[in-house]
Amino acid sequence: MIVKINLPDGHQLDYDTESRESLWQCLRRHDVLISGDCDGHGRCGQCRGTVSTQGQSPKERLLCRYYPTQSVAVTNFKLETQHTILTEGTLPYFEYRPAITKRILTAGEAQQASKQLGLSMDEQTHQWTGVYDQGEIFSIEPRDTTAWQYGLAVDIGTTTVVVTLVNLLTGEQLATKSQLNQQGQYGSDVLTRITHVMDSGLSGLDNLQTAVINTIKGLIQALRIQTGVNSQYIYQMVIAGNPAMLHLLLGFNPEPLGRSPYQLVVKSSQNFQVHPEWDWSINSRARIITLPMISAYVGADVVCGAYVAELDQQDQAIVIDIGTNGEMILASNQHLLSCSTAAGPAFEGMNITSGMKASSGAIEEVCLTPEGAVLSVISNTEPIGLCGSGVLAALREGLRYQLINERGRIIDPQSLAPDDDRLQYIEVDAAGKRRIRLVEGVYLSQQDIRQVQLAKGAIMAGIEQLLVEAQTTAEAIQHVYIAGQFGAHIDESSLIETGILPKAFKNKLHYLGNTSHSGAYMALMSLDVRQDLETLSQRIEPLELSLMDDYQRRFVRHTLFEKRG
């Protein structure tokens, strides 16, 4: 039976009651992009909305768990908003030596190349250009086209995708575009997406591969429109990303990444001709290169971070990508050790009661005072939620103001004197649960604090395990490099005072920005960098934390906060 879904703006959508499609799925299929970070499993709470049916009072529902049986009106839902995406990262010095080159061909060379490549030649054309990849011809073009040589540097993140169009002759980054990874509709984190494939089989894998292919496709089109570059002259794309993102792009089943013994399907760099069915606006013979990985949860993005930080040339230094997977690489005593920790999506504002992505209206910094909360909000608009940096800032202030004890519990307001100014921040909700109020409608709940505690425990235990395995200490570490989308927006005090990083790391932090994108750009512009990344990835030894005897004990210990007062 077909019923109607009535939207606040007056639009109506058709819904088939026999489709087994949730209201959330139906709305997203019609480009009503309601928030949701758990692939419709009812865990994140982001898709709450008010549903009204004839003859019944309006009720708040999780739209991903609601299946209409009659026509409904849906209101008060939260849409995804424009996300602030980090596109730039540190670039160390390197010499340009791109794989793609061109030169004018003699008539004989052009004829020979056309036969070799199976290409036809226009006899009226008297000048031809050969296009080479590492000195091997792969295309010929009429006339002199040596002035037009372009490539693309791509960073595929779990949350965001960044693509830059580059002039291969000069190294100039002509334009950069970014957007949320369309895979987000199937879950906010890697494990949820792997589970989607496990549950749905080949159709689930196709869903995720198509989503990331379409994300990149849209960004390439936007770049071409902005710059006017002819697609025919885009000859190469270099891609960095975490193992799951690269496996899904390549169409490899990611299940081995999510099950013991947690193995990669492919580890080394891949180099292949673009698939025509991807329908990307680039040369039909363009080469696609994915950069090398280390282990099931330490990927090309982290290898790029280590390369940008020049970690192989240092001793007593560590690179940490503070995000959903919490990857890190330690350089100590001529050894490079790596691991990945299941930090979860809390650092990106996901699975948080008032959480949101880093977009307009997100609180990114907090200061609690006796007169009230002082908030820094993206775009200087009315605050509507907390992004990842705001979550940590709120937690830091809650600890500093002694609203939260060492076990992560919000203190009992009845234990405070009537004139204690901390009372203004503590509320008890309808279910009798305590929460910290920052502004009307934006809270830090007990469950939110627990989410950060789990992330903190995972990251600190990972750092400590690396230090133990390398037989060094936090005090001995001289440089701490913070890479990735989240790390670039978080203040050192939030990382140190919440215990996400050791106190001994204070004043040692260096923010590198989006090193995954930097590494992809450098590899696009230099064959030497590509080889260096391959060599570096082979030098890095992965540690599987789940097999370490002491890891669970360390994790539990590090979920606690420092006792104050």
Side-chain angles (χ1 to χ4, degrees):
M1 180 174 68
I2 303 298
V3 299
K4 297 294 183 183
I5 307 298
N6 297 285
L7 300 176
D9 61 3
H11 282 82
Q12 286 189 330
L13 305 176
D14 288 336
Y15 177 84
D16 185 352
T17 59
E18 298 177 5
S19 67
R20 296 185 178 180
E21 184 179 54
S22 71
L23 182 52
W24 178 75
Q25 290 171 317
C26 173
L27 291 168
R28 288 192 68 96
R29 182 167 54 80
H30 286 90
D31 294 325
V32 183
L33 300 181
I34 292 180
S35 296
D37 297 325
C38 65
D39 191 24
H41 289 293
R43 294 195 300 264
C44 71
Q46 295 291 315
C47 66
R48 294 181 187 278
T50 301
V51 175
S52 305
T53 56
Q54 189 173 8
Q56 295 184 2
S57 300
K59 291 184 179 180
E60 186 179 78
R61 304 272 193 176
L62 287 178
L63 303 185
C64 71
R65 313 304 290 171
Y66 183 72
Y67 300 83
T69 57
Q70 58 181 305
S71 294
V72 300
V74 57
T75 57
N76 299 327
F77 49 78
K78 185 167 68 173
L79 293 173
E80 290 182 350
T81 54
Q82 184 62 41
H83 188 186
T84 301
I85 299 173
L86 181 66
T87 60
E88 297 181 352
T90 298
L91 277 177
Y93 172 79
F94 71 104
E95 293 186 358
Y96 294 164
R97 193 168 76 87
I100 302 298
T101 55
K102 285 184 175 185
R103 71 176 179 86
I104 301 297
L105 302 176
T106 65
E109 288 175 327
Q111 287 181 346
Q112 183 180 357
S114 68
K115 291 178 182 179
Q116 175 187 332
L117 300 171
L119 299 173
S120 59
M121 291 180 62
D122 182 355
E123 295 182 0
Q124 302 301 314
T125 302
H126 302 293
Q127 191 175 44
W128 293 86
T129 300
V131 188
Y132 296 81
D133 178 16
Q134 301 183 62
E136 188 170 321
I137 195 165
F138 71 93
S139 186
I140 60 172
E141 298 169 347
R143 298 178 300 279
D144 179 0
T145 64
T146 53
W148 302 308
Q149 301 178 40
Y150 302 98
L152 295 160
V154 180
D155 165 36
I156 303 178
T158 307
T159 305
T160 59
V161 177
V162 180
V163 181
T164 295
L165 181 62
V166 180
N167 184 327
L168 297 178
L169 290 172
T170 65
E172 181 185 359
Q173 299 184 40
L174 300 177
T176 297
K177 295 291 183 183
S178 59
Q179 72 173 64
L180 295 176
N181 189 334
Q182 292 180 27
Q183 290 181 351
Q185 62 188 294
Y186 302 105
S188 63
D189 58 79
V190 165
L191 286 177
T192 305
R193 294 181 201 175
I194 293 174
T195 301
H196 178 77
V197 176
M198 291 179 177
D199 293 343
S200 306
L202 290 178
S203 65
L205 177 58
D206 182 65
N207 289 340
L208 288 160
Q209 184 185 32
T210 300
V212 71
I213 286 171
N214 287 342
T215 303
I216 295 171
K217 176 182 175 180
L219 292 171
I220 294 172
Q221 290 173 336
L223 287 168
R224 288 189 53 246
I225 291 170
Q226 179 178 336
T227 63
V229 167
N230 189 324
S231 62
Q232 177 185 340
Y233 302 131
I234 301 175
Y235 301 105
Q236 191 171 80
M237 176 187 291
V238 176
I239 306 173
N242 65 51
M245 295 304 100
L246 295 184
H247 277 59
L248 290 169
L249 172 70
L250 296 170
F252 295 142
N253 190 328
E255 285 192 42
L257 306 179
R259 288 179 174 165
S260 182
Y262 308 106
Q263 294 181 328
L264 294 164
V265 176
V266 61
K267 181 178 180 180
S268 61
S269 177
Q270 302 296 295
N271 186 336
F272 57 95
Q273 184 173 308
V274 65
H275 300 303
E277 62 269 22
W278 289 4
D279 193 28
W280 287 346
S281 298
I282 59 179
N283 188 284
S284 61
R285 292 173 174 261
R287 306 302 301 179
I288 309 298
I289 293 96
T290 59
L291 296 177
M293 296 169 272
I294 301 170
S295 65
Y297 285 99
V298 183
D301 51 348
V302 188
V303 176
C304 289
Y307 188 78
V308 169
E310 300 177 317
L311 204 63
D312 58 331
Q313 301 173 35
Q314 299 190 52
D315 189 37
Q316 305 304 327
I318 189 170
V319 170
I320 308 173
D321 188 333
I322 301 178
T324 304
N325 302 316
E327 306 102 328
M328 55 194 79
I329 301 177
L330 172 68
S332 178
N333 302 317
Q334 306 301 312
H335 287 89
L336 295 169
L337 299 176
S338 69
C339 70
S340 175
T341 62
F347 290 147
E348 296 181 353
M350 300 178 187
N351 293 354
I352 298 293
T353 306
S354 297
M356 61 184 293
K357 297 179 176 69
S359 54
S360 180
I363 297 171
E364 57 181 349
E365 184 55 74
V366 177
C367 179
L368 300 185
T369 74
E371 293 74 34
V374 179
L375 308 175
S376 175
V377 183
I378 295 176
S379 301
N380 293 317
T381 62
E382 287 297 313
I384 58 175
L386 288 161
C387 63
S389 58
V391 171
L392 274 198
L395 178 61
R396 179 200 69 217
E397 290 297 284
L399 291 166
R400 182 184 66 82
Y401 225 60
Q402 296 185 35
L403 298 170
I404 303 167
N405 66 23
E406 68 272 15
R407 300 185 66 83
R409 301 292 298 175
I410 298 173
I411 61 173
D412 184 353
Q414 295 185 359
S415 68
L416 301 177
D419 60 347
D420 195 315
D421 58 67
R422 289 177 291 176
L423 284 171
Q424 66 182 304
Y425 294 115
I426 304 175
E427 290 188 355
V428 179
D429 65 18
K433 296 181 179 180
R434 299 168 198 160
R435 60 190 184 187
I436 296 174
R437 177 185 180 276
L438 300 175
V439 68
E440 185 62 37
V442 182
Y443 309 92
L444 189 70
S445 73
Q446 190 64 69
Q447 181 59 31
D448 299 337
I449 296 170
R450 184 58 181 166
Q451 290 291 318
V452 179
Q453 284 182 277
L454 295 174
K456 158 184 150 50
I459 289 176
M460 273 294 291
I463 293 171
E464 190 171 281
Q465 197 75 53
L466 285 181
L467 294 172
V468 169
E469 293 295 321
Q471 298 182 359
T472 188
T473 64
E475 289 74 18
I477 299 299
Q478 298 174 21
H479 300 286
V480 180
Y481 298 99
I482 305 299
Q485 173 80 17
F486 174 74
H489 293 99
I490 189 67
D491 188 75
E492 178 181 290
S493 64
S494 291
L495 293 171
I496 302 294
E497 292 176 26
T498 58
I500 289 170
L501 297 181
K503 278 188 172 182
F505 284 2
K506 188 175 182 180
N507 298 324
K508 298 177 181 179
L509 269 59
H510 310 273
Y511 294 92
L512 300 180
N514 189 341
T515 52
S516 182
H517 178 266
S518 295
Y521 166 75
M522 294 172 72
L524 177 68
M525 286 304 303
S526 172
L527 277 168
D528 298 324
V529 170
R530 272 170 57 185
Q531 183 56 56
D532 288 346
L533 288 168
E534 196 74 49
T535 302
L536 179 60
S537 70
Q538 294 167 6
R539 279 194 58 196
I540 298 170
E541 177 186 348
L543 297 182
E544 180 47 63
L545 295 178
S546 63
L547 302 179
M548 301 287 173
D549 292 337
D550 292 339
Y551 178 73
Q552 193 62 32
R553 177 180 57 81
R554 297 181 198 281
F555 167 76
V556 172
R557 174 162 52 85
H558 285 300
T559 59
L560 301 177
F561 296 111
E562 180 183 15
K563 190 171 184 178
R564 300 175 185 236

